[in-house]
Amino acid sequence: MPSSHSADPHNFRRRGVLFVLSSPSGAGKSTIARKLLADEPELGMSVSATTRPMRPGEVDGKDYHFVDLEEFRRMVAEDEFLEWAHVFDHRYGTPRAQIETMLAAGKDVLFDIDWQGAQQLFQIAGGDVVRVFIFPPSMEELRARLTNRNTDSMEVIDARMARAANEVSHWDGYDYVLVNDDVEQCFQGVKTILAAERLKRSRQTGLIGFIRKLTRVAGAV
Ligand code: 5GP
C-alpha cells in the first residue's frame, strides 16, 4: 500500500503506520483510542462501516458508517473494503478510500478492528501494520464493565463474553500485548509503541538522502 509521511520532527518523509488496536469489547480500547487521537495530531481514525444497529450516544459517520445489509453487500461487491468480517451477528468493514486519503496526507491511521481484520490487514500491508492487543484485567472485570455500560441486554452481554474468550484466544497474532488494569498506564504503553514504530528504520524512506549526505561528509573528513 503506497504511503508516505512528512510530518516528522525532522521533516523526513516516511511510510505511514497502520496501527491496529484490538481487544474484547469492554476492555477499554475505545477510551485508549480516543485519548490517542486527542494526543496525536498526526494520527487519523479509520471509521468502519457496520450493519449493526446504532447504540445510544453513537454518531453516524463518526463512530461508524451505519449501513444496511444491502449497502454493505454493494460495498463488498464493488471492492470498497480493505478488509471486512462477520463479528457477532453483524458485518464490519474498513472502507479503503479514507485510508488512502489519510496516508497520502502524511497521517498514520488507527484501526479499531477485531483479530480477523488485523490478520487481513497484515496480509495486505505487511510491515506497515502494527498490531496491538489489549487484555482486560480479568474476565470478571470485563463482565462488570459490560454490565455497567448499560447499553446491552443480559443476553447480548453473555454473547459478548463468549466472543471475548474467543477474541483473547487470538492474542498470539499480535505484535504487542498490554493489560488494561490502569487506563493511564495502558495508554502510555500504547503511545510508546506508536512512538517507537514511527522511528523504525524500515519506515524511514526519506532518510536515505540524509544518510547519504551524512556519510559523504563523514567520508570527506
Ligand atoms: P462494536 O459493535 O462493539 O462496536 O464492535 C465489535 C467488534 O467489531 C470490535 O471488536 C471491533 O474492534 C470490531 N470491528 C469494528 N469495526 C471493524 C472492521 O471494520 N473490521 C473488523 N474486522 N472488525 C471491526
Side-chain angles (χ1 to χ4, degrees):
M1 167 167 298
S3 61
S4 66
H5 197 292
S6 60
D8 279 2
H10 303 298
N11 235 355
F12 298 122
R13 292 183 74 79
R14 65 165 170 81
R15 296 184 69 80
V17 181
L18 304 181
F19 200 70
V20 176
L21 276 188
S22 296
S23 78
S25 48
K29 172 184 51 177
S30 327
T31 310
I32 287 172
R34 227 177 4 254
K35 281 167 77 70
L36 205 56
L37 288 167
D39 237 44
E40 298 281 350
E42 306 306 333
L43 186 67
M45 181 81 205
S46 164
V47 180
S48 297
T50 182
T51 57
R52 88 145 157 76
M54 204 186 288
R55 294 198 190 114
E58 286 185 326
V59 178
D60 189 19
K62 184 169 170 280
D63 296 292
Y64 282 104
H65 299 288
F66 293 95
V67 298
D68 59 19
L69 189 54
E70 193 187 342
E71 171 64 0
F72 197 95
R73 284 190 170 136
R74 184 201 62 75
M75 293 174 82
V76 172
E78 297 189 11
D79 200 25
E80 289 184 18
F81 288 125
L82 205 51
E83 63 76 35
W84 73 272
H86 289 272
V87 186
F88 307 120
D89 293 327
H90 302 290
R91 289 162 208 220
Y92 295 76
T94 304
R96 67 170 77 240
Q98 51 163 357
I99 310 302
E100 284 160 8
T101 305
M102 282 188 271
L103 289 175
K107 291 208 166 206
D108 298 312
V109 185
L110 178 62
F111 297 79
D112 172 345
I113 57 180
D114 79 336
W115 66 273
Q116 305 172 85
Q119 212 170 63
Q120 289 182 60
L121 206 59
F122 185 74
Q123 276 159 13
I124 298 163
D128 291 334
V129 181
V130 177
R131 296 157 297 177
V132 180
F133 193 88
I134 299 174
F135 287 103
S138 69
M139 288 318 233
E140 292 75 25
E141 174 65 23
L142 185 66
R143 178 174 280 279
R145 286 182 192 176
L146 288 175
T147 309
N148 293 341
R149 205 156 73 169
N150 247 344
T151 53
D152 297 310
S153 67
M154 219 46 194
E155 203 185 346
V156 171
I157 290 171
D158 283 345
R160 280 179 183 264
M161 286 302 293
R163 176 77 202 185
N166 177 269
E167 185 82 26
V168 164
S169 75
H170 294 282
W171 71 284
D172 58 352
Y174 288 78
D175 305 303
Y176 297 92
V177 289
L178 299 98
V179 178
N180 183 14
D181 46 12
D182 177 279
V183 173
E184 190 52 37
Q185 210 174 332
C186 187
F187 168 61
Q188 289 305 332
V190 172
K191 255 180 85 87
T192 306
I193 295 165
L194 178 60
E197 285 288 342
R198 281 174 167 166
L199 293 171
K200 238 182 183 167
R201 178 172 52 79
S202 54
R203 296 190 208 287
Q204 311 303 325
T205 45
L207 211 58
I208 292 165
F210 168 77
I211 291 166
R212 283 209 184 108
K213 212 167 102 194
L214 207 69
T215 46
R216 260 204 308 277
V217 171
V221 172

